[in-house]
Amino acid sequence: MDTSIERQSDYLIDLHGNLIVDFVGRYERLHGDFADVCGRIGIRCPELPHRRQATDRRKDYRSYYERRNRGAGGESLRRRHRALRYAFDPPGGA
């Protein structure tokens, strides 16, 4: 079964859009969030190697989502972002 095309949020949100987990780790802070999870379950935190680093992304990441938000898929993405309490950093990281 190829899960790479499934929305990860489908595992975190119920049919009514309610978050059903008590913690959501973020990829952009993967190491810290993974360490937090390991601490919560009481295990030693192993090192996480970075094996698949993208080399073709030169644009600001917001531009990818702006394009994706247009059209039919946009509302679905906005609902997932709201449910997961996800917010874009302002330009410049401030």
Side-chain angles (χ1 to χ4, degrees):
M1 182 163 118
D2 181 8
T3 59
S4 64
I5 59 172
E6 293 183 37
R7 289 180 281 193
Q8 295 175 355
S9 59
D10 289 346
Y11 297 99
L12 309 174
I13 299 170
D14 69 15
L15 295 175
H16 304 288
N18 300 310
L19 193 61
I20 57 173
V21 297
D22 62 0
F23 180 80
V24 176
R26 307 269 188 225
Y27 185 78
E28 60 273 15
R29 57 180 193 228
L30 178 63
H31 293 282
D33 283 356
F34 186 67
D36 185 29
V37 169
C38 290
R40 287 175 183 228
I41 63 175
I43 65 169
R44 185 182 141 293
C45 186
E47 184 178 334
L48 294 176
H50 194 166
R51 294 195 173 131
R52 289 181 44 185
Q53 187 168 0
T55 58
D56 62 341
R57 296 187 183 153
R58 301 197 194 321
K59 295 180 182 179
D60 180 64
Y61 71 91
R62 291 169 204 81
S63 66
Y64 294 100
Y65 286 96
E66 289 168 0
R67 217 176 328 134
R68 191 170 172 195
N69 272 336
R70 297 181 187 135
E75 182 54 34
S76 175
L77 183 63
R78 284 187 288 276
R79 280 196 310 271
R80 289 193 309 268
H81 280 191
R82 278 193 304 270
L84 297 173
R85 297 180 203 106
Y86 208 94
F88 290 108
D89 296 328

